[in-house]
Amino acid sequence: MDETENNTSIDSVEVGPSSPRVVATPRLPIPVMMRETPLSTKRERQALTPRFRRPAPRMIKTVPQTRSIWSVRKDTTPQLVTPHGPQALESPHYDRANKQTFFEQVFQIDEIIGRGSFGEVFAARCREDSRLYAVKVSIAPMRQHSMSKYREAESHMIIPPHKNLVKFYRAWEETDRLYIQTELCEQSLQQYCSVKHALPENEIWNIFVDLLEAVHHLHSNDMIHDDIKPENIFLTKHKICKLGDFGLVINLKNPNDVKSAEEGDSKYLAPEVLNGKPTFASDIFSLGVTILEAATDLDVPSNGDAWHQIRNGQIPERFFVGISSDLRVLIEQMINKEPMKRPTSDALRKHMSIRTRLDSRRRYILSMDMRDGFCNLMSSILVWCMAFLSVVFHPVTRFHEAINNRRSELCAQFVNNQQHTPIQTPETSKVYSESLTGVALRQASQISPFDFSDDENPPHSQRRLFTGPVSRRLNFDDEMEDEEQATCSSSNSSAIETAEDSLSPPKKPVIAVARQGTPKSARRLIPSYRNRSGSQDPTHHAGAGDSMNSSILDQERTDRYLRMRLAEQQLDWNDHSNMIDEAPPPMSCPPRIRRSLRDMPRMPVLNFNLLDEPTKKGKEKPVVEPAELRQRPMRNGIKSLRSRMASFQGSSGDEN
Ligand SMILES: Nc1ncnc2c1ncn2[C@@H]1O[C@H](COP(=O)(O)OP(=O)(O)OP(=O)(O)O)[C@@H](O)[C@H]1O
Ligand SMILES: [Mg+2]
């Protein structure tokens, strides 16, 4: 069967308009592929394997370490790993008293980005500089006296930094675990290839050039990576390749490293390493297989015939479809079975195809570095500016906040006040006035028997309900009655005394308290009583008889006053209890009643000046009482009160 025919008929896959390579890695019909070669692409393997399968157990390079007496460490403080031995690790964000580890205290963990045979890798933001890092944490506790326990960290820190190597920041040990803080990359090459499958050739060249630079840097520093593979190669957001994972790095200057050298991943392992030690040439072999995999989407075998087939250079033609001959030749040279025939990193850099790309790649990396540096600078300037402005405007914001708070307080007060004056309906007014009045009266009774507090500013509900009927309580028959009535009416909401209390002669302290609690208008009346009695006889100040007479008069007057007040309070209470009945009638009220109510007089205004300046007898101008009020039949309470007041007036006139 013609292989090319099959390719075109079955597996011509359009990658996309932007891709320079139109046809993706060819996919073969399974029988042909199985008959001719065990090698396949990763896309083909995916088609063969079921979608959902149990994940493979994690590969561990060495036997899991068991706890020994050496592993019981008393000191759990974090130790910084340095080339000169462990040192105390300090950070302004680390508190020894805190039970959390240094990693937990100093880093804000974002997510797990990878798991390897050695450890878990986290993306974490460092609280010291607010930048993101990759932190690799060893899975198994390390043996205390293991020679290689810090190997990865020590190797990484002694490698001179290079733009194509993952940057090392620091490593520390805490509670028998090793933490390695490195630069965070976007993804590994393996992740990138497994998504894209067929990479455009210029991307492959870029990867090749970057990795060659990294390997050359290591080799020129007498170091062998020994584990070059797509999982240990990382891509930045600018698609710059970086070599990482220096767990197996062999420092040729260190005899211990050479002695304890381990094999890397068998998929990328040079055949000579099976019977010998890793060399520079074995690194070139691993790099060759990695580029082959990226360019052809080859599913690299880890053992078996296919493994040998690659090492024998028997890779089918179809895998190289769409790949330039330059790239293909270089790959084939690098995966040569004979290590001596493989080109060195230096020789590769001098190859024409690579040399021309090296310069442009260097320029690109430099420009990206500058761009990143500029962006970092600008963002840090911006952050400083924002911090500065927030400090400068902090008082303003506080002031604004305080004003806002005050405003909302006042608003709340205003709203509350509004809520305290609900619209009165006949149903609600009684309950409302009772509760308010009840409280007011109870309070007043504790303070003083005379309370005028509500008189001058009665509650809104009462003000509204005191319409026609209230005015009837006032009697303006004559001055004295007017005085007394006015005095009494000013105590509308005073506390109710028992009959005995109010009728018994007033005690001095009570009067004193009454004076204190009396409003100005009422206070003016009290001297007028005194002046009246005093004005009868200008010489009454001296003499025991005079004083006796005046005290009797005082007593009488006080008695009368208290009786009147009691009657007035009784009327008040009647008014309170009848408040609903006395409310304005609804519109459905019969016209006859409505007319009678309309004719009722309005409440007159009290003129206290008349009381302050007592006029001579006979020349007194009686206060004008509305005719309707005089003619109207009065309630029993008011009638009796008026008769009593008339008698009081008569008696005082006799005295005069
Ligand atoms: N600096 C990094 N930036 C982004 N991802 C990373 C970084 N370091 C590691 N990873 C992710 O974590 C995974 C495992 O990391 P790494 O290879 O260092 O662990 P490992 O234990 O040495 O595994 P193995 O020995 O199998 O290579 C990587 O495949 C990669 O996906
Ligand atoms: Mg790794």
Side-chain angles (χ1 to χ4, degrees):
M1 191 186 277
D2 185 13
E3 200 177 293
T4 331
E5 219 176 61
N6 280 321
N7 286 343
T8 47
S9 62
I10 298 172
D11 272 327
S12 293
V13 180
E14 293 289 325
V15 171
S18 60
S19 171
R21 292 170 64 197
V22 178
V23 180
T25 312
R27 203 188 289 178
L28 292 173
I30 295 157
V32 175
M33 184 189 75
M34 298 304 282
R35 196 174 60 237
E36 289 194 353
T37 169
L39 290 176
S40 66
T41 61
K42 282 185 264 183
R43 204 192 280 264
E44 286 162 358
R45 182 169 55 88
Q46 274 179 11
L48 282 171
T49 49
R51 263 189 180 202
F52 302 103
R53 58 173 179 165
R54 194 188 295 242
R58 201 189 307 132
M59 281 175 57
I60 296 182
K61 282 177 185 167
T62 53
V63 178
Q65 289 152 353
T66 49
R67 274 192 168 266
S68 67
I69 49 163
W70 299 109
S71 65
V72 182
R73 247 189 69 184
K74 285 185 182 106
D75 182 19
T76 55
T77 52
Q79 298 284 311
L80 189 71
V81 179
T82 68
H84 318 290
Q87 283 178 10
L89 180 60
E90 294 295 342
S91 167
H93 297 268
Y94 176 64
D95 176 18
R96 273 172 203 276
N98 195 324
K99 278 187 179 170
Q100 287 186 317
T101 61
F102 181 87
F103 180 47
E104 287 163 338
Q105 288 186 46
V106 179
F107 290 83
Q108 185 191 329
I109 301 159
D110 269 19
E111 55 173 337
I112 289 186
I113 50 172
R115 274 198 182 93
S117 54
F118 173 80
E120 284 178 333
V121 185
F122 296 87
R125 190 175 292 278
C126 183
R127 293 197 169 98
E128 290 165 349
D129 58 3
S130 305
R131 291 193 177 197
L132 278 168
Y133 295 97
V135 180
K136 186 170 171 178
V137 186
S138 63
I139 295 169
M142 294 172 298
R143 273 180 296 187
Q144 277 299 294
H145 292 266
S146 160
M147 292 290 286
S148 60
K149 70 171 188 170
Y150 297 138
R151 179 161 171 178
E152 183 177 356
E154 281 171 351
S155 305
H156 204 160
M157 74 179 74
I158 60 170
I159 299 168
H162 189 270
K163 58 188 183 311
N164 293 116
L165 296 181
V166 172
K167 202 170 175 186
F168 173 87
Y169 286 96
R170 63 181 161 182
W172 68 95
E173 189 206 344
E174 189 176 11
T175 55
D176 285 351
R177 285 179 202 278
L178 182 66
Y179 297 79
I180 302 172
Q181 180 185 344
T182 60
E183 164 190 5
L184 178 68
C185 301
E186 206 170 70
Q187 58 188 324
S188 70
L189 182 62
Q190 187 242 345
Q191 289 165 339
Y192 186 62
C193 291
S194 63
V195 172
K196 276 204 138 186
H197 288 289
L199 304 181
E201 188 164 324
N202 66 329
E203 263 194 44
I204 294 164
W205 278 113
N206 288 341
I207 293 167
F208 190 1
V209 169
D210 285 351
L211 292 177
L212 186 61
E213 285 289 89
V215 172
H216 177 68
H217 180 72
L218 286 176
H219 290 185
S220 53
N221 283 288
D222 291 331
M223 287 183 180
I224 300 165
H225 189 278
D226 197 25
D227 201 14
I228 297 172
K229 60 178 179 179
E231 289 100 310
N232 292 339
I233 295 161
F234 304 99
L235 288 169
T236 67
K237 60 183 174 188
H238 304 303
K239 301 284 175 294
I240 296 168
C241 255
K242 300 205 173 206
L243 188 59
D245 191 355
F246 302 98
L248 297 183
V249 163
I250 301 161
N251 184 5
L252 295 175
K253 291 173 193 161
N254 186 350
N256 288 332
D257 276 11
V258 180
K259 248 192 274 174
S260 60
E262 291 176 39
E263 292 171 7
D265 194 325
S266 65
K267 283 184 179 180
Y268 308 88
L269 197 66
E272 72 276 9
V273 181
L274 288 173
N275 301 315
K277 294 277 176 194
T279 57
F280 292 143
S282 63
D283 263 356
I284 297 292
F285 181 90
S286 302
L287 180 61
V289 178
T290 301
I291 301 297
L292 174 70
E293 185 180 348
T296 62
D297 193 35
L298 178 74
D299 185 22
V300 182
S302 54
N303 49 38
D305 289 347
W307 189 90
H308 286 286
Q309 201 177 337
I310 288 173
R311 272 126 193 110
N312 292 331
Q314 297 166 344
I315 302 167
E317 274 295 310
R318 65 186 176 88
F319 287 101
F320 293 107
V321 173
I323 294 176
S324 67
S325 59
D326 269 3
L327 187 57
R328 182 180 170 172
V329 168
L330 281 175
I331 291 171
E332 283 174 347
Q333 285 178 2
M334 287 163 80
I335 58 172
N336 198 308
K337 198 176 180 180
E338 294 296 322
M340 299 304 289
K341 289 183 182 171
R342 292 176 208 147
T344 61
S345 60
D346 198 35
L348 283 168
R349 287 176 81 237
K350 285 175 184 154
H351 190 275
M352 191 53 139
S353 307
I354 292 178
R355 207 173 50 206
T356 51
R357 285 181 169 87
L358 263 178
D359 283 341
S360 65
R361 194 67 187 156
R362 261 191 222 128
R363 277 198 299 275
Y364 173 76
I365 293 172
L366 194 68
S367 67
M368 286 301 122
D369 277 355
M370 284 171 65
R371 202 175 111 174
D372 282 353
F374 180 73
C375 287
N376 286 343
L377 184 73
M378 290 311 290
S379 62
S380 55
I381 287 173
L382 193 71
V383 168
W384 275 106
C385 285
M386 282 169 68
F388 175 77
L389 288 176
S390 70
V391 169
V392 166
F393 288 106
H394 186 65
V396 178
T397 50
R398 287 289 298 277
F399 181 66
H400 182 250
E401 203 180 298
I403 286 183
N404 255 346
N405 288 347
R406 188 73 195 123
R407 199 190 107 262
S408 44
E409 270 175 37
L410 289 173
C411 277
Q413 255 180 28
F414 178 68
V415 170
N416 285 343
N417 284 343
Q418 281 185 337
Q419 283 171 352
H420 280 294
T421 53
I423 295 168
Q424 291 299 308
T425 61
E427 290 76 26
T428 60
S429 62
K430 188 166 186 182
V431 178
Y432 181 67
S433 58
E434 269 179 3
S435 64
L436 267 188
T437 326
V439 171
L441 291 177
R442 253 177 277 122
Q443 282 175 353
S445 66
Q446 285 164 10
I447 299 164
S448 154
F450 300 90
D451 183 24
F452 302 90
S453 57
D454 278 343
D455 178 52
E456 288 177 358
N457 190 20
H460 185 60
S461 60
Q462 291 184 20
R463 250 185 275 160
R464 290 181 60 177
L465 293 167
F466 274 49
T467 51
V470 175
S471 61
R472 278 205 228 166
R473 287 188 295 124
L474 297 175
N475 194 340
F476 299 95
D477 282 344
D478 52 44
E479 188 203 347
M480 186 55 73
E481 192 177 355
D482 182 28
E483 281 177 359
E484 300 290 351
Q485 186 67 35
T487 312
C488 293
S489 67
S490 67
S491 62
N492 274 342
S493 60
S494 63
I496 302 167
E497 292 170 7
T498 58
E500 291 157 0
D501 283 350
S502 58
L503 292 172
S504 63
K507 293 159 193 171
K508 273 188 180 174
V510 172
I511 290 169
V513 172
R515 277 175 189 165
Q516 278 174 17
T518 309
K520 204 175 169 185
S521 56
R523 241 183 282 143
R524 273 189 304 201
L525 295 175
I526 294 168
S528 78
Y529 284 114
R530 293 231 176 103
N531 290 342
R532 275 176 183 245
S533 58
S535 66
Q536 311 313 316
D537 184 5
T539 58
H540 83 287
H541 310 285
D546 283 351
S547 66
M548 181 81 85
N549 283 342
S550 73
S551 71
I552 290 167
L553 282 174
D554 274 352
Q555 184 93 19
E556 275 179 16
R557 232 175 262 126
T558 314
D559 283 354
R560 258 181 259 134
Y561 166 73
L562 288 171
R563 274 198 299 276
M564 279 164 51
R565 204 163 70 79
L566 179 67
E568 180 61 22
Q569 280 169 357
Q570 192 59 45
L571 285 176
D572 278 351
W573 275 106
N574 288 344
D575 286 341
H576 279 304
S577 55
N578 294 330
M579 213 169 266
I580 289 174
D581 301 332
E582 291 169 359
M587 287 308 286
S588 59
C589 182
R592 187 172 51 78
I593 299 173
R594 225 184 301 150
R595 215 175 308 120
S596 71
L597 285 172
R598 207 186 304 132
D599 293 338
M600 284 170 77
R602 295 179 137 221
M603 185 195 279
V605 178
L606 295 180
N607 187 354
F608 289 104
N609 291 338
L610 293 170
L611 303 175
D612 284 345
E613 295 165 12
T615 53
K616 287 174 189 170
K617 197 184 172 189
K619 288 184 181 179
E620 289 173 354
K621 286 183 183 175
V623 179
V624 180
E625 186 188 2
E628 295 93 335
L629 190 63
R630 229 178 284 144
Q631 290 159 9
R632 199 180 294 278
M634 284 188 292
R635 287 181 298 184
N636 291 341
I638 293 177
K639 260 185 191 171
S640 61
L641 175 66
R642 192 178 288 166
S643 61
R644 258 183 276 138
M645 288 174 90
S647 67
F648 169 71
Q649 193 184 17
S651 66
S652 63
D654 292 344
E655 283 165 20
N656 290 342

